[in-house]
Amino acid sequence: MFKIHNRVLLLLVIVLVVAGAALPFINFAPNRLVSGESIALSKLPSHAWLILSVPVVILACLTLVRCRSSSLLVTLLMGELLFIAILWVMGRTATQFAEQGSTLARTSPGSGLWLSLTLCLLLCADAISRLTPKALWRLLLNLQIWIVPVALLWSGYFDSLSLLKEYANRQDVFDDALSRHLALLVGTLLPALAIGVPLGVLCYNRPAWQSSVFSVLNVIQTVPSVALFGLLIAPLAGLVKLAPWLGSLGVSGIGVAPALIALVLYALLPLVRGVVSGLQQVPRNIIESAEGMGMSRWQVFWQAEVPLALPVLLRSLRVVCVQTIGMTVIAALIGAGGFGAIIFQGLLSSALDLVLLGVIPVIALAVILDAFFKLFISLLEEKQP
Amino acid sequence: MIEFENVSKSFQGKAAVSNLSLNIKEGEFTVLIGTSGSGKSTTLKMINRLIEHDSGRIRFAGEEIRNFDVKALRRRMGYAIQSIGLFPHWSVAQNIATVPQLLKWPKARISARIDELLDLLGLEAAQFRDRYPHQLSGGQQQRVGVARALAADPEVLLMDEPFGALDPVTRGALQQEIIRIHQLLGRTIVLVTHDIDEALTLADRIVLMDNGQVIQQGTPLELLTRPATDFVRDFFGRSELGVRLLSLRLVADRVRSEERLAGEPISETLSLREALSLFVDRQCQQLPVVNQQGEPSGVLHFSDLVHGEKMRGENASAP
C-alpha cells in the first residue's frame, strides 16, 4: 500500500525521533564548575516538542513521495525549518532559564540537540545533492541554510547560552586565536607551495629522484605531530644560541617558528605527491602532439601540462589545507597559539564550553575551506572532464 | 622535398631503422606501411625530429634537418596522430589556432583561418568553434585534428595512423576527405598506416617497410602487380590480390563506350571493386554506365573485369 521512496530520509527521520525522545536535549547547571542536570525535550517548558514535531511528521510523510524536485524542495525547506526551530527552542529555553536563575547559571545544548542539528544538516545536504548536480548551486543552497541562524546569533538571541557567555568573557582571546590560526595556515601554505611545487616538478622530470624524495617525506609524515614539534625545540634553541640575530627575528625553540617548520614539513608529502601525480596523468599523446606542433618545452609545460595537472594539484592542496587547520591545534602545545590554546585551556580546567569554543571554529574553518576548494575544482573540471 | 640518405636509428642497441634511403617528392601522397615494429612510425617521427636519427642524412627542402631550429622546422610541418592529442582544456578554435599563434599571426587572420579550415573539413564553423573536444564524436575530433595540422599552411603534412581508432564508416569518410584535401591543396603528405586498403586508397606512392628496412616502394599498382619478394606478395594478401587490384581501377577504364543498355545505371566513377559487388548483387553480366553528368556513357561487361587486368598487367610489365 505504502511505498518508501526516500530511504535515506526515512533513516534520518527515525534517528531524529530517537535522538529527540531518548537523549538529553538541554543541560542546566547552577554554575560553570558543577555538572548540571539534563533535561529531555518532552520536559521543556511550554510544550516545545509539539512545535518541533510538526516538521518531523511532514518529513516522515515525504519519505512516501517520489523524489521529484518539488518534493525535494519541500524536504529541504522542512529540514531547514526544523534546524531553525531547534535553535530557536534552544535560545528561548536558555533565555527563560537565565531570567529565572542567577547570572551564574549555565544552559548548554545536550547530546540530543547536537545530534538533531547534525541530522537536519545531513538531511538538507542529501536533498540538495539530489536536487542539482551543479557544484555552485549546491554550495549556495548549503550556505543559505545558515542565513537565519547567523542572523539569530548576531541579534544576541543565543547570548544566554553558556557557550556564548564563555565567548563574551574571552572575546579578545578568541579574536586573537582566530587571526593567529589563519596566520599559521597562510604561513604554512605559502612556503609549502614555494618548496613543494618546484620539488614536485623536479621529481616528475627526474624519475630517479622520486623514490628518495618520497621516502624522506614519508618518514617525516610518519613522525607523530607532537613528537615532531618536540623534536624541533632543541635544534632551534641551539641555532638561536649560535646566531642571536635569529632570536631578534622572533625565532626560538618554542612558539611560531618550530610550529611553522613542522607544519610545512607535513604539508610537503601530499603536495609533492599531488604535483607529481597531476603531471603524470597528463596524457602522453597530448604532450607529443604539442611538441610535434613546434611548442617549446616551456610552452608545453605552461600551456598543456600545468592546466591539465591543476585539478589534481588543487585536490591535494585541499587535503593540505584541512590537515594544516587540524594540526595547528596541536601546535598550541609548543606555544604557537591559535584555537588549540583555547581548547587545551578548556581541557585542563575541564570546562567543556571552553573546549567547544575552540573546536567549533576549527571545524567551521575546515568545512568552509573544503567547500570552496570543492567548488573551484568542480568549476575547473566542468571545462575538461 | 624530403630525402633520406642511409639513415639509421637504434633504441638501446636495437636497430629500429637501418640504412634507409627514401625520396619523397613535393606534392606526393606517400604512405608508409608495414607490420608493427617495422620502423614506419620511427621513420615518420624522424622527419619532424621528434626522434633524432643516429646516422645518415635527412634533407628537407634541400637542407639537412639538423640545420633547422627544431621548433621552426616543426611549425613548417603539420602533425596529426592516431589518438589525436587535442588539448582538452581548449576549445576547437583555440586548438586549431595553436601553430598560427606560435607563429604570431594577427588575430583577424587566425580567426579567418579557423573558419576556412572548419569549412574545408566539413564542420559548421558557427556550431563547432566554441565546443570543447569532449563534446565531439571521434570522427569530428579527428577532423579538428587534421584542421589543426593544416592550420599554418604547412609544406608537409605528417600523419601517424590518423584514422586507426575510428569506426569503418567514419574512417572511409575521412579518407575521402583527405584525398579531396590533397587534390585541392597539393600538399606533400606522409601517412603511416598498417591498413592495406587504406594505403591502396590514399597513396600515390607506397613504401612497404619491414624490420627497419624498405622492402619495396612504388605506386599501388606496381606493388600489387610486380611484388619484389614473397613478403610483398604475402603482405598484400595472395587471395585478395585480385580484388585489391580492382579497387585501384575505375569503371571508366573498362567501359565499352559504343554500347548502350537499358536498366538501372551505375556511375563511371565507381571503382571496379564496387562494380564487381554490383554484378554479384544483381546477378547479371552487363551493367549500363552513366558519366558524372548522368548521361549514358556505355556498358560494363563482367568479362572485362578479368581480361582487362591481365592485359594491363602485361602492359605494365612490358617497359
Side-chain angles (χ1 to χ4, degrees), chain A residues 26-192:
Chain A
I26 295 281
N27 281 315
F28 179 75
N31 60 58
R32 66 175 275 201
L33 295 176
V34 296
S35 58
E37 53 169 327
S38 42
I39 304 167
L41 177 61
S42 54
K43 299 280 177 2
L44 285 184
S46 58
H47 300 291
W49 67 274
L50 273 176
I51 305 168
L52 298 187
S53 59
V54 176
V56 175
V57 171
I58 298 177
L59 283 170
C61 297
L62 281 166
T63 59
L64 303 172
V65 182
R66 212 174 274 282
C67 291
R68 278 190 227 95
S69 55
S70 54
S71 67
L72 286 170
L73 266 176
V74 179
T75 310
L76 174 61
L77 211 66
M78 284 303 129
E80 266 188 79
L81 215 63
L82 186 60
F83 186 68
I84 293 164
I86 293 170
L87 289 172
W88 178 70
V89 167
M90 175 178 82
R92 203 190 52 159
T93 313
T95 317
Q96 278 175 348
F97 284 171
E99 281 161 2
Q100 292 161 9
S102 72
T103 47
L104 288 176
R106 292 292 178 129
T107 313
S108 56
S111 55
L113 199 150
W114 284 121
L115 188 55
S116 311
L117 288 178
T118 315
L119 289 168
C120 286
L121 288 178
L122 274 177
L123 196 150
C124 292
D126 179 61
I128 290 167
S129 65
R130 285 169 197 245
L131 258 175
T132 169
K134 289 242 187 292
L136 183 63
W137 277 109
R138 283 184 180 180
L139 185 72
L140 287 177
L141 283 173
N142 273 309
L143 275 180
Q144 57 85 33
I145 298 173
W146 293 93
I147 295 174
V148 177
V150 168
L152 283 176
L153 180 71
W154 228 257
S155 69
Y157 190 75
F158 300 126
D159 281 358
S160 307
L161 276 178
S162 64
L163 190 63
L164 284 162
K165 281 187 175 170
E166 208 68 67
Y167 171 70
N169 286 342
R170 290 161 207 275
Q171 203 166 350
D172 298 342
V173 180
F174 183 90
D175 293 347
D176 276 354
L178 176 64
S179 52
R180 175 62 70 87
H181 215 94
L182 289 176
L184 282 171
L185 176 64
V186 175
T188 304
L189 288 183
L190 292 184

Side-chain angles (χ1 to χ4, degrees), chain B residues 36 195 231 280 286:
Chain B
S36 16
D195 180 337
F231 175 79
V280 176
Q286 290 137 32

Side-chain angles (χ1 to χ4, degrees), chain A residues 222-287:
Chain A
T222 33
V223 178
S225 50
V226 179
L228 187 57
F229 286 131
L231 274 177
L232 284 168
I233 294 177
L236 271 179
L239 198 66
V240 173
K241 223 176 224 170
L242 282 175
W245 57 272
L246 277 174
S248 61
L249 285 175
V251 176
S252 65
I254 58 165
V256 174
L260 279 183
I261 293 173
L263 289 172
V264 168
L265 286 176
Y266 277 124
L268 280 181
L269 178 70
L271 209 56
V272 174
R273 187 154 280 168
V275 173
V276 172
S277 59
L279 289 171
Q280 273 171 348
Q281 51 93 49
V282 177
R284 260 315 305 167
N285 58 14
I286 289 178
I287 297 173

Side-chain angles (χ1 to χ4, degrees), chain B residues 11-23:
Chain B
F11 294 111
Q12 283 127 26
K14 202 173 164 293
V17 168
S18 44
N19 228 358
L20 180 92
S21 291
L22 198 61
N23 189 359

Side-chain angles (χ1 to χ4, degrees), chain A residues 283-290 293, chain B residues 80-88 95 98 133 141-142 145 148:
Chain A
R284 260 315 305 167
N285 58 14
I286 289 178
I287 297 173
E288 190 196 309
S289 67
M293 284 186 296
Chain B
I81 55 178
Q82 175 182 356
S83 44
I84 309 166
L86 291 180
F87 296 131
N95 265 293
T98 309
Q141 286 186 21
Q142 192 53 277
R148 181 173 71 170

Side-chain angles (χ1 to χ4, degrees), chain B residues 235-264:
Chain B
F235 191 85
F236 285 99
R238 286 170 196 272
S239 60
E240 283 183 75
L241 195 68
V243 189
R244 291 202 161 115
L245 271 171
L246 288 180
S247 73
L248 296 176
R249 297 250 158 248
L250 299 182
V251 171
D253 299 338
R254 301 289 162 78
V255 72
R256 295 189 189 178
S257 50
E258 66 281 4
E259 295 177 25
R260 290 289 180 271
L261 187 72
E264 197 188 334

Side-chain angles (χ1 to χ4, degrees), chain B residues 49-302:
Chain B
R49 288 177 63 186
L50 278 176
I51 295 174
E52 299 277 0
H53 57 282
D54 293 338
S55 64
R57 256 193 295 278
I58 305 177
R59 274 191 290 270
F60 170 62
E63 190 158 357
E64 163 66 30
I65 57 168
R66 291 220 170 113
N67 296 343
F68 289 93
D69 170 54
V70 67
K71 286 176 301 237
L73 177 78
R74 287 173 185 168
R75 288 169 197 176
R76 288 172 69 178
M77 300 175 171
Y79 187 53
I81 55 178
Q82 175 182 356
S83 44
I84 309 166
L86 291 180
F87 296 131
H89 57 299
W90 285 1
S91 69
V92 166
Q94 283 171 302
N95 265 293
I96 296 176
T98 309
V99 182
Q101 246 157 18
L102 290 174
L103 294 169
K104 302 202 165 55
W105 285 16
K107 270 211 173 76
R109 186 175 168 206
I110 294 178
S111 180
R113 183 70 182 152
I114 292 166
D115 289 343
E116 186 186 338
L117 282 165
L118 283 173
D119 191 46
L120 180 69
L121 271 300
L123 297 169
E124 185 77 43
Q127 196 188 341
F128 284 95
R129 273 186 83 110
D130 298 321
R131 292 214 192 160
Y132 284 87
H134 68 92
Q135 296 166 317
L136 306 178
S137 71
Q140 288 167 342
Q141 286 186 21
Q142 192 53 277
R143 279 166 200 265
V144 175
V146 173
R148 181 173 71 170
L150 286 169
D153 221 347
E155 292 150 74
V156 179
L157 189 57
L158 305 177
M159 307 179 101
D160 194 354
E161 298 199 29
F163 312 131
L166 302 175
D167 64 85
V169 177
T170 316
R171 193 188 311 158
L174 267 163
Q175 284 168 357
Q176 291 311 311
E177 208 78 20
I178 204 77
I179 290 173
R180 189 173 63 82
I181 289 169
H182 180 237
Q183 284 166 354
L184 202 68
L185 305 177
R187 286 282 165 278
T188 311
I189 301 182
V190 186
L191 182 141
V192 164
T193 185
H194 57 251
D195 180 337
I196 296 156
D197 290 311
E198 180 165 285
L200 293 175
T201 319
L202 297 178
D204 291 333
R205 185 179 187 79
I206 292 183
V207 178
L208 176 62
M209 292 184 69
D210 189 43
N211 276 328
Q213 279 168 328
V214 174
I215 305 296
Q216 189 178 359
Q217 49 178 313
T219 64
L221 196 64
E222 278 169 7
L223 264 77
L224 286 181
T225 53
R226 283 184 291 155
T229 64
D230 275 354
F231 175 79
V232 182
R233 197 171 288 124
D234 285 339
F235 191 85
F236 285 99
R238 286 170 196 272
S239 60
E240 283 183 75
L241 195 68
V243 189
R244 291 202 161 115
L245 271 171
L246 288 180
S247 73
L248 296 176
R249 297 250 158 248
L250 299 182
V251 171
D253 299 338
R254 301 289 162 78
V255 72
R256 295 189 189 178
S257 50
E258 66 281 4
E259 295 177 25
R260 290 289 180 271
L261 187 72
E264 197 188 334
I266 62 171
S267 165
E268 65 178 13
T269 55
L270 290 184
S271 74
L272 287 180
R273 188 176 183 166
E274 289 162 303
L276 171 69
S277 169
L278 284 167
F279 276 121
V280 176
D281 183 42
R282 298 194 191 166
Q283 305 200 344
C284 59
Q285 301 287 327
Q286 290 137 32
L287 285 167
V289 179
V290 291
N291 63 16
Q292 272 170 305
Q293 284 76 42
E295 299 154 358
S297 63
V299 175
L300 181 68
H301 288 248
F302 182 71

Side-chain angles (χ1 to χ4, degrees), chain A residues 287-324:
Chain A
I287 297 173
E288 190 196 309
S289 67
E291 283 176 347
M293 284 186 296
M295 281 189 174
S296 66
R297 191 67 207 106
W298 195 243
Q299 284 165 332
V300 174
F301 181 70
W302 280 109
Q303 296 185 25
E305 292 182 294
V306 168
L308 292 175
L310 203 57
V312 180
L313 172 63
L314 282 178
R315 225 169 269 140
S316 59
L317 196 59
R318 174 179 156 198
V319 172
V320 169
C321 260
V322 173
Q323 169 194 300
T324 305

